[in-house]
Amino acid sequence: MNILIKKAQIVDPSNKEYHLKKHDILIKDGIIAEIATDIQTGENIEILEKDNLHVSTGWFDSSVSFGEPGYEERETIKHGLFVAAKSGFTDIVLNPNTNPVPDSSSDIVFLKNAAKESATSLYPLGALTVGAEGEALAELYDMKNAGAVGFYDYKHPLKNANLLKIALQYNQNFNGLVHSFPLDKQISGKGIVSEGEISTKLGLKGIPHLAEELFIARDLYILEYTGGKLHIPTISTAKGVKLIAEAKKKGLDVSCSVAIHNLYFTDASLEGFDSHFKLMPPLRTKEDSKALIAGLQDGTIDYVTTDHRPMDIELKRVEFDNAEDGTIGLETAFGILNQLFDLETLISLLTKGRERYGIPTPKLQVGESATLTLFNPEPEFTLDTEHILSASKNSCFIGSTLKGKVYGSIAKKQLIS
């Protein structure tokens, strides 16, 4: 792959030499060969020019679901990774919520092999417990050796505190990363939305903030006792941010993430009973959203995620109470975040987090492999289903105004645009 990118504004806050400067970038055989203000080249070089072209290192998402194996009608690995590449993501962490769930080394090998030819790299999580049933630890060490970058019973909280204790202790033998979804099912009960004024007004059963915060506090106490590495995915409350900030001040090895929709929407969006807004964790208050954004800005929350979760149409086009949780988000990530943060902060958020999973961080420098995202931060448009490439169309952002256009990405000697 030989490409000459012309007149691109480089956005790379970690690179003072090129940051916010307009340069040509020459890529030969997948390697960045030259970066200069004006590069002249001969034949057999593809010229890439776009309106208001901006370039950054490739984006990363720590929480993506597809469907294969078991739910291929929702999304296959091949097509899902193509959508990710078109959306600017060159590396994604795949959630273990397929059928069967990946709880053995052979399952991890299957997922890795299915993604080999794609431009976007796939890093699978293995289930923390056998069948994600929360009863016994899965083959964690074998999965780690096969390529699993962490362990997670996706959206299933670990009700057995002792099992989490053992998992954190055991994973220290091989530097494993344990995920724990924060939800106390005994407190949440049959709740489906955030408990508060909106849930009462709509007559929907609520999930108290306490249900999330109790488990965050529990998990942090266990981590303080055991040591190890803990990741708390997709937090949604202001108190949760505070609890994690306090744990980090103690020196605990904990990280956390937040889903983009919990930054952008609040429970006020539920008033139309649109099942696209049935999410887990649920949409919270404006005060929670503000605290989550502030947590990203001050580093308490380590990274932002799409929490991309395709769903069959028949699982969403039902009464709100009976609909499945989840929204897709890869294609809308940039257009939403671009309204919440300045461009430098936004690109920092979209490119950080790999280190937590032991994934190499690409560099926009001569001699490095070209792992780049191409975009224009200016255009605005209203999202419609016709803009969605994903096999499933269950997006809570349909009808929202997006700012910015992603042209695609370059990775593993492929241009996807």
Side-chain angles (χ1 to χ4, degrees), residues 82-371:
F82 170 75
V83 172
K86 285 278 289 183
S87 304
F89 293 92
T90 58
D91 299 278
I92 63 105
V93 172
L94 185 70
N95 289 313
N97 58 332
T98 51
N99 185 21
V101 297
D103 58 5
S104 69
S105 58
S106 59
D107 296 325
I108 300 300
V109 170
F110 168 80
L111 295 170
K112 297 278 288 183
N113 286 339
K116 272 185 176 179
E117 303 303 319
S118 298
T120 294
S121 296
L122 180 154
Y123 297 91
L125 293 171
L128 183 63
T129 65
V130 176
E133 294 176 352
E135 298 296 331
L137 292 182
E139 300 175 5
L140 306 184
Y141 180 68
D142 289 344
M143 286 193 286
K144 172 80 170 181
N145 287 339
V149 295
F151 308 104
Y152 182 22
D153 291 351
Y154 180 71
K155 304 289 187 186
H156 294 296
L158 272 175
K159 61 182 179 181
N160 186 338
N162 188 55
L163 195 61
L164 176 62
K165 175 179 75 73
I166 294 170
L168 285 166
Q169 290 171 328
Y170 177 59
N171 273 269
Q172 292 176 57
N173 295 310
F174 48 88
N175 199 33
L177 178 62
V178 175
H179 292 55
S180 179
F181 183 68
L183 181 68
D184 188 323
K185 285 288 189 83
Q186 290 182 310
I187 297 292
S188 66
K190 295 182 179 180
I192 55 174
V193 299
S194 184
E195 182 182 82
E197 182 180 339
I198 298 295
S199 66
T200 302
K201 177 182 175 181
L202 300 178
L204 297 172
K205 293 177 181 177
I207 300 173
H209 289 56
L210 180 67
E212 177 174 311
E213 294 154 6
L214 272 178
F215 259 41
I216 291 176
R218 182 203 72 169
D219 292 356
L220 293 173
Y221 271 117
I222 294 172
L223 178 66
E224 188 172 8
Y225 175 80
T226 61
K229 293 168 59 177
L230 177 67
H231 178 66
I232 302 176
T234 57
I235 67 171
S236 68
T237 74
K239 182 66 177 295
V241 178
K242 184 178 179 181
L243 288 168
I244 290 168
E246 291 169 352
K248 289 188 171 184
K249 287 179 182 177
K250 292 181 180 179
L252 300 186
D253 193 352
V254 60
S255 57
C256 66
S257 63
V258 61
I260 292 171
H261 43 261
N262 284 103
L263 302 174
Y264 190 72
F265 293 114
T266 68
D267 55 359
S269 301
L270 301 170
E271 296 201 6
F273 291 96
D274 184 346
S275 62
H276 286 128
F277 292 101
K278 189 179 181 188
L279 305 164
M280 183 55 66
L283 298 175
R284 302 288 189 181
T285 67
K286 186 65 176 178
E287 289 70 28
D288 291 307
S289 294
K290 288 180 179 178
L292 294 167
I293 291 171
L296 281 168
Q297 291 171 328
D298 67 22
T300 299
I301 301 176
D302 296 88
Y303 31 91
V304 68
T305 175
T306 64
D307 204 23
H308 180 85
R309 191 181 188 189
M311 278 293 161
D312 308 323
I313 190 170
E314 60 267 24
L315 298 177
K316 279 292 188 180
R317 193 174 290 176
V318 294
E319 296 87 353
F320 191 93
D321 284 33
N322 298 323
E324 289 288 333
D325 304 317
T327 180
I328 59 173
L330 286 169
E331 293 149 285
T332 51
F334 180 71
I336 295 297
L337 291 173
N338 196 25
Q339 300 173 62
L340 300 176
F341 302 96
D342 65 80
L343 188 59
E344 292 180 63
T345 301
L346 165 56
I347 296 304
S348 293
L349 291 174
L350 285 171
T351 53
K352 70 187 294 194
R354 290 176 173 90
E355 298 87 352
R356 187 64 169 165
Y357 293 89
I359 300 169
T361 299
K363 296 180 180 179
L364 210 166
Q365 294 179 355
V366 173
E368 297 285 338
S369 296
T371 305

